[in-house]
Amino acid sequence: MSEKELLQEEKTTRESVKTEKKAKQKDESKPARWVRVRMLPIWLRILLFILLLAGSLVLGALIGFAGIGDGKAADVFKAETWQHIIDIVMKK
């Protein structure tokens, strides 16, 4: 290659680099899109939901049986209590 061709190629390369820089600057001047960063992963959210649901069921049974009703709080966890409730509902 001659010196003239090398200079022309170098000039073309410089122009393409400038064009790429301008394109990047235009992209950077646009407002960035909102990216949502999740503090808790989906699997952890589901697990927390299930645990809170189970806790609310237990707490509701305790309040309903011991607080509103006339039973003892520890009786909620006995199988006989739940069998008695099932018998009442099924009218046995």
Side-chain angles (χ1 to χ4, degrees):
M1 289 178 82
S2 69
E3 188 175 326
K4 200 174 198 181
E5 290 173 341
L6 288 174
L7 289 174
Q8 182 64 28
E9 185 178 331
E10 185 177 331
K11 183 179 178 183
T12 307
T13 306
R14 283 185 198 158
E15 288 174 358
S16 66
V17 169
K18 285 181 184 178
T19 307
E20 289 175 9
K21 284 183 180 180
K22 285 181 183 179
K24 284 183 182 179
Q25 287 175 351
K26 285 181 183 178
D27 289 343
E28 291 172 359
S29 65
K30 293 180 183 176
R33 296 188 71 192
W34 179 259
V35 178
R36 182 174 179 181
V37 177
R38 295 178 197 245
M39 299 301 284
L40 296 174
I42 297 295
W43 64 268
L44 186 58
R45 289 182 192 187
I46 294 171
L47 182 67
L48 284 173
F49 177 77
I50 291 171
L51 290 175
L52 289 173
L53 183 65
S56 66
L57 287 173
V58 169
L59 187 64
L62 286 171
I63 291 172
F65 193 74
I68 297 172
D70 58 352
K72 295 179 184 176
D75 289 344
V76 171
F77 301 110
K78 292 183 180 178
E80 296 86 28
T81 303
W82 290 103
Q83 186 60 49
H84 181 69
I85 292 171
I86 291 171
D87 290 343
I88 292 172
V89 171
M90 298 295 178
K91 305 228 184 217
K92 285 187 179 180

